Amino acid sequence: MIKILYFGRLSDMAGRRTETLALPQGVRNISALRAWLDTAHDLGGALDDPSVKTMVDQSLVHNDMSLNGNEEIGFLPPVGGG
Amino acid sequence: MIKILYFGRLSDMAGRRTETLALPQGVRNISALRAWLDTAHDLGGALDDPSVKTMVDQSLVHNDMSLNGNEEIGFLPPVGGG
Amino acid sequence: MITIRDTPFKPSKELEAFTQANCDAGAITSFLGQVRSEAGKVNALYLEQYPGVTETGIMDAVAKAKARWTLTDVMVIHRVGTMDVGEPIVLVAIAAKHRRPAFLACDYLMDYLKTQAVFWKRQTGKDGSKWIEPRTEDYQDKKRWEIR
Amino acid sequence: MITIRDTPFKPSKELEAFTQANCDAGAITSFLGQVRSEAGKVNALYLEQYPGVTETGIMDAVAKAKARWTLTDVMVIHRVGTMDVGEPIVLVAIAAKHRRPAFLACDYLMDYLKTQAVFWKRQTGKDGSKWIEPRTEDYQDKKRWEIR
């Protein structure tokens, strides 16, 4: 199963902070998963915004990447604490 | 009466931190007082060292200055706290 | 020591323990960030972390600071969850032999925490709730540390 | 608030009061200087002031910092007299809306205190007693603030 984590404003948009799903049919990589989630939750392209970073198993991925269906995927809008 | 204050290493050299005296005969200004005190306490010119600052009534004096015999005179080696 | 916690902490207590553990350090700098009311406009601040990722990132920044300056000890305490106005958000303390590295490392870590640490902030006030992202100045401050 | 005192103080207690008085400040920086043992070479530090002159000088430096940066509050506590190893010598705390002025003002005041404040320091250790004057680095640090 794939575990998806939405952070910051993305959790408001997706209406959830986390979800677990099987890799949807025909979805084999990050870019396809982003597109699939965007449609499923009506995100208006928010996951493809250049300010949103993607982590696979807690590591940043900058390019596309194939998925085996057992990853933890995090979508991170601009960060900042303090 | 003149009140003299020796700070830092100058108090060790003069053997005192403070002294009160009448203006010695013939001494009418700071430079003459410095010379007089240097001889009196055997300071080897320490009060004339360029690193030593002189305060008259708690204000720095950079040049010579005449005295009326009722001042507070401080001799300050290089300062620094913290 | 790096702590990310979802309950309030008392900066004076934490600093006292840090100071006692580093009583021979000579110089101790600290930064405390508190929730500002913005003239009554803010009621609360909510901070979210990515558990694991956030802490690893801070550990990394602390290691970089220790590589760059000679430091005796570093403490970072960061709140997550909901905080009221006036509550501490972050406390960074640096112990070093001299004051220059202690100031620089504290400043550096705060710039990291403001712009790169993996936190998201939501501010709640009389105008409702909104996510807030770093200010342009924060990114400029961070750039000062880049080695050219 | 500027305090010159000849008895020990507890930095955590002073910082707590300062923080409480400035709970809406957003950013609070602090610097604490403690007597270092220098690997057992130092037993005690003695600090002398010029009563009146020393305090006026610090007040002046605080006024300059307030003119230069937007600060909410400033606290300076400086010990005089004899201090043992590990005892606090100086505590400077700055409260401001944002962190940059808070860091800069704290740094600036420490440079003033190290090189220009009217104090004299005598260190006592196993090699006897000697007056110590600012290091070359201290004067260089101070120069950073001169407006060219």
Side-chain angles (χ1 to χ4, degrees):
Chain A
M1 297 292 272
I2 295 255
K3 186 179 180 190
I4 315 274
L5 304 168
Y6 301 95
F7 293 101
R9 57 179 156 80
L10 295 176
S11 61
D12 292 351
M13 297 173 78
R16 68 205 71 203
R17 295 182 55 190
T18 171
E19 68 186 321
T20 304
L21 59 152
L23 210 51
Q25 215 173 359
V27 170
R28 300 236 153 68
N29 54 36
I30 284 287
S31 59
L33 179 66
R34 262 200 294 253
W36 190 91
L37 291 168
D38 194 270
T39 307
H41 300 310
D42 199 14
L43 300 177
L47 299 181
D48 275 320
D49 188 283
S51 73
V52 171
K53 291 177 182 170
T54 305
M55 279 190 151
V56 174
D57 292 333
Q58 309 204 344
S59 293
L60 277 181
V61 294
H62 298 285
N63 302 312
D64 205 356
M65 186 179 152
S66 63
L67 298 171
N68 63 32
N70 288 304
E71 288 90 351
E72 174 183 300
I73 316 245
F75 293 113
L76 293 71
V79 296
Chain B
M1 298 292 272
I2 295 256
K3 187 179 179 190
I4 316 276
L5 304 167
Y6 300 95
F7 294 101
R9 55 179 158 81
L10 295 176
S11 61
D12 291 350
M13 295 174 78
R16 70 205 70 203
R17 296 182 54 190
T18 171
E19 68 186 321
T20 303
L21 60 153
L23 209 51
Q25 214 173 1
V27 170
R28 299 233 154 69
N29 55 35
I30 284 286
S31 60
L33 180 66
R34 262 200 293 254
W36 190 90
L37 291 168
D38 193 270
T39 306
H41 300 309
D42 197 15
L43 300 177
L47 299 181
D48 275 321
D49 189 283
S51 72
V52 171
K53 291 178 181 168
T54 305
M55 280 190 149
V56 174
D57 291 334
Q58 309 203 347
S59 293
L60 276 181
V61 294
H62 297 286
N63 302 312
D64 206 355
M65 186 179 154
S66 62
L67 298 171
N68 62 32
N70 288 304
E71 288 90 351
E72 175 184 299
I73 316 246
F75 294 112
L76 293 70
V79 296
Chain C
M1 191 202 56
I2 295 162
T3 311
I4 298 171
R5 49 186 292 166
D6 59 6
T7 51
F9 66 94
K10 214 175 161 185
S12 59
K13 202 180 132 234
E14 304 293 341
L15 267 178
E16 187 173 358
F18 184 78
T19 299
Q20 271 169 5
N22 294 286
C23 60
D24 200 37
I28 292 178
T29 53
S30 75
F31 178 89
L32 170 66
Q34 309 181 112
V35 182
R36 278 184 289 129
S37 74
E38 300 281 10
K41 273 193 295 190
V42 174
N43 298 327
L45 194 67
Y46 169 80
L47 261 101
E48 188 181 11
Q49 66 164 323
Y50 188 162
V53 173
T54 304
E55 192 166 355
T56 304
I58 298 174
M59 280 171 60
D60 232 58
V62 169
K64 273 186 190 134
K66 283 184 172 170
R68 192 153 173 177
W69 297 286
T70 304
L71 309 176
T72 309
D73 203 358
V74 174
M75 174 172 75
V76 176
I77 303 174
H78 209 295
R79 270 294 306 276
V80 291
T82 302
M83 283 153 271
D84 290 334
V85 165
E87 258 186 64
I89 309 168
V90 57
L91 177 66
V92 173
I94 311 283
K97 193 173 174 191
H98 294 294
R99 73 189 184 288
R100 191 106 310 277
F103 273 122
L104 290 169
C106 197
D107 196 0
Y108 172 87
L109 285 175
M110 279 312 305
D111 280 348
Y112 169 82
L113 290 166
K114 285 275 179 184
T115 59
Q116 298 200 294
V118 181
F119 291 105
W120 296 272
K121 274 195 273 202
R122 196 180 56 213
Q123 196 173 279
T124 304
K126 60 177 188 201
D127 304 331
S129 197
K130 66 170 182 206
W131 291 96
I132 46 177
E133 290 167 9
R135 303 168 302 155
T136 312
E137 296 119 275
D138 290 325
Y139 288 121
Q140 281 161 352
D141 284 348
K142 186 68 187 65
K143 280 216 179 103
R144 294 178 303 145
W145 308 103
E146 283 165 18
I147 293 158
R148 269 161 259 234
Chain D
M1 191 202 56
I2 295 163
T3 311
I4 300 171
R5 50 186 290 165
D6 59 6
T7 51
F9 66 95
K10 214 174 160 185
S12 59
K13 202 180 133 233
E14 305 294 340
L15 268 177
E16 187 173 358
F18 184 77
T19 300
Q20 272 170 4
N22 293 288
C23 61
D24 200 37
I28 292 178
T29 51
S30 76
F31 178 88
L32 169 66
Q34 310 181 110
V35 182
R36 280 185 288 128
S37 76
E38 300 281 9
K41 272 194 293 190
V42 175
N43 297 329
L45 194 66
Y46 169 79
L47 260 101
E48 188 181 10
Q49 66 164 324
Y50 187 163
V53 173
T54 304
E55 192 166 354
T56 304
I58 299 175
M59 280 171 60
D60 231 59
V62 168
K64 274 185 190 136
K66 283 183 173 170
R68 191 154 174 174
W69 297 285
T70 305
L71 309 176
T72 310
D73 202 358
V74 174
M75 174 173 73
V76 176
I77 303 174
H78 209 297
R79 270 295 306 277
V80 290
T82 302
M83 285 153 267
D84 290 334
V85 165
E87 258 187 61
I89 308 168
V90 57
L91 177 65
V92 172
I94 311 283
K97 192 173 175 193
H98 294 294
R99 75 191 183 288
R100 191 108 308 278
F103 272 122
L104 290 170
C106 197
D107 197 359
Y108 172 86
L109 285 175
M110 278 312 304
D111 281 348
Y112 169 81
L113 290 167
K114 284 276 179 183
T115 59
Q116 298 200 295
V118 181
F119 291 107
W120 297 272
K121 273 194 271 202
R122 196 180 57 213
Q123 195 174 280
T124 305
K126 59 177 187 198
D127 305 331
S129 198
K130 65 170 183 207
W131 291 96
I132 46 176
E133 291 169 5
R135 302 168 303 154
T136 312
E137 295 119 275
D138 290 324
Y139 288 121
Q140 283 161 353
D141 285 347
K142 186 69 186 63
K143 281 217 180 102
R144 293 178 303 144
W145 308 102
E146 285 166 18
I147 294 158
R148 268 161 263 238

